[in-house]
Amino acid sequence: MGDAVELEVAGRTVRLSSPGKVFFPERGFTKLDVAQYYMAVGPGILRALRDRPTTLERYPDGVTGESFFQKRAPKNTPDWIPTAHITFPSGRSADEMCPTEVAAVVWAAQYGTLTFHPWPVRRDDVDRPDELRLDLDPQPGTDFADAVRAAHELRAVLDEFGGLRGWPKTSGGRGLHVFVPIEPRWTFTQVRRAAIAVGRELERRMSRHVTIAWWKEERGEKVFLDYNQTARDRTIASAYSVRPRPHAPVSAPLRWEEVPDVMPEDFDLATMPERFARLGDVHADMDDHAFSLEVLLDLARRDEHDHGLGDLPYPPEYPKMPGEPKRVQPSRARRNGPPPT
């Protein structure tokens, strides 16, 4: 696997042990290839991670080995990598690393980090998200083309309800993500409520193609808008993150005009550096914007007042939330029948 090497990353020296360790056997990509990839797209991934508490998805022995999510900053985190204290839904808390320079990303790659999962907050205010993140997840029987169709209607919904603008990217799998920079004025609960309102409006317009049903048995062959990705401690892979699949795909930022013509397989560890060198970070202007959620929250209030559409279930690991409906799988509820009178 070779002797350790030292990489110069914007004035920092980062030591990389076992640079020849193969992380992606199908493609032959090594740990050094991963580190050099992150150096090549450095300004882009730093824009996506800067000052955000970030969970590390680590594969110390590559994609065929064991993996784990590291939420707490490792004890050996250098003092030049800041951290932020965050609280989980369980009430527990931790200090997570908050990259402020590309060297922090390469340092994490040294420990087998492939995918970076940043919170939608900055370290100066960890309770007020500054991004509305919308995850279009094709269910069995659907594919990326279905997510693309939904994304275009989603773009129209965002524009109509508050003049919001979203920045699309591939997930690195079959889906699409659309991120909307927002003013850090609202709680996680309110941002999640806005995501539900977006999902319901999209579902009304595309009822045959889109669903926000939490229970898989109710989704059918549709694209699921996963509103729970906006809940506290639920994160989405960052732009430019490498995904742990055999062909080494990456989550690729896109311009809207590209969305109909690309495939997720177009973007991987080998192709993204050339694209980045040619185009730069196509989401570079995201931080120049911060939109309001007021119109979407008004829509959520109308949905509840006029149609009785309140909250939706949270993920199973969350404590019971105020106003949340029963967190019971529909088929199980039918089997058990109504409660005794």
Side-chain angles (χ1 to χ4, degrees):
M1 290 183 283
D3 296 333
V5 298
E6 291 187 341
L7 302 176
E8 294 299 318
V9 189
R12 299 275 186 196
T13 300
V14 179
R15 184 178 184 274
L16 199 74
S17 63
S18 304
K21 179 184 284 188
V22 176
F23 272 17
F24 292 89
E26 185 175 293
R27 303 288 301 277
F29 295 135
T30 64
K31 179 196 280 193
L32 180 59
D33 290 326
V34 173
Q36 290 178 330
Y37 163 78
Y38 280 126
M39 292 170 66
V41 300
I45 189 147
L46 183 60
R47 188 266 312 155
L49 300 179
R50 188 188 301 276
D51 286 322
R52 298 189 182 280
T54 299
T55 297
L56 309 179
E57 187 176 355
R58 293 177 54 185
Y59 288 76
D61 295 311
V63 293
T64 58
E66 294 184 359
S67 66
F68 59 96
F69 289 86
Q70 177 131 22
K71 294 189 175 183
R72 289 169 171 79
K75 292 182 179 179
N76 64 337
T77 301
D79 57 11
W80 49 268
I81 299 179
T83 61
H85 194 71
I86 55 165
T87 303
F88 304 115
S90 65
R92 295 181 179 180
S93 60
D95 294 322
E96 285 203 354
M97 67 176 288
C98 300
T100 56
E101 50 189 293
V102 178
V105 179
V106 177
W107 176 85
Q110 146 65 15
Y111 294 98
T113 301
L114 294 182
T115 307
F116 294 83
H117 296 267
W119 281 48
V121 300
R122 308 282 183 169
R123 62 189 172 110
D124 60 350
D125 187 351
V126 296
D127 294 315
R128 304 278 173 171
D130 69 347
E131 285 182 345
L132 170 65
R133 297 175 174 179
L134 302 167
D135 179 8
L136 295 169
D137 183 12
Q139 300 301 288
T142 63
D143 57 20
F144 184 74
D146 296 293
V148 167
R149 182 189 308 168
H152 282 293
E153 190 61 37
L154 172 60
R155 185 185 187 188
V157 170
L158 291 172
D159 183 60
E160 290 176 34
F161 289 89
L164 308 182
R165 175 184 168 193
W167 278 255
K169 69 183 185 70
T170 65
S171 67
R174 301 190 312 137
L176 274 168
H177 301 151
V178 178
F179 284 11
V180 181
I182 60 174
E183 300 168 2
R185 294 168 45 197
W186 297 277
T187 65
F188 278 94
T189 302
Q190 291 170 310
V191 173
R192 178 178 174 275
R193 191 74 173 119
I196 291 172
V198 170
R200 283 180 168 143
E201 180 64 22
L202 188 62
E203 187 179 53
R204 282 189 282 264
R205 298 181 182 202
M206 304 185 71
S207 59
R208 295 176 56 190
H209 304 288
V210 172
T211 181
I212 59 166
W214 175 246
W215 304 105
K216 291 182 179 180
E217 64 185 34
E218 294 186 319
R219 293 177 190 169
E221 295 185 359
K222 299 180 181 181
V223 174
F224 171 49
L225 190 147
D226 189 353
Y227 61 89
N228 267 331
Q229 292 290 27
T230 53
R232 179 184 287 271
D233 193 34
R234 294 295 283 253
T235 56
I236 294 178
S238 77
Y240 300 102
S241 272
V242 179
R243 305 312 309 273
R245 295 180 174 86
H247 59 291
V250 303
S251 179
L254 302 173
R255 298 172 296 199
W256 276 109
E257 58 267 26
E258 296 179 290
V259 171
D261 301 318
V262 301
M263 292 296 292
E265 297 80 10
D266 295 338
F267 310 103
D268 61 28
L269 204 66
T271 62
M272 181 56 81
E274 184 279 329
R275 171 181 167 88
F276 193 88
R278 179 167 42 88
L279 298 178
D281 179 16
V282 297
H283 287 188
D285 63 334
M286 272 188 68
D287 289 346
D288 298 335
H289 302 268
F291 295 97
S292 172
L293 291 180
E294 289 293 354
V295 178
L296 282 179
L297 292 173
D298 283 343
L299 175 63
R301 285 187 283 268
R302 292 199 303 275
D303 278 344
E304 185 164 15
H305 182 269
D306 299 342
H307 306 292
L309 299 175
D311 204 353
L312 291 173
Y314 274 78
E317 70 272 17
Y318 279 65
K320 183 69 175 179
M321 301 296 287
E324 181 188 2
K326 286 185 177 180
R327 203 181 297 172
V328 180
Q329 190 172 339
S331 59
R332 180 175 298 177
R334 289 193 293 271
R335 287 197 303 269
N336 293 341
T341 58

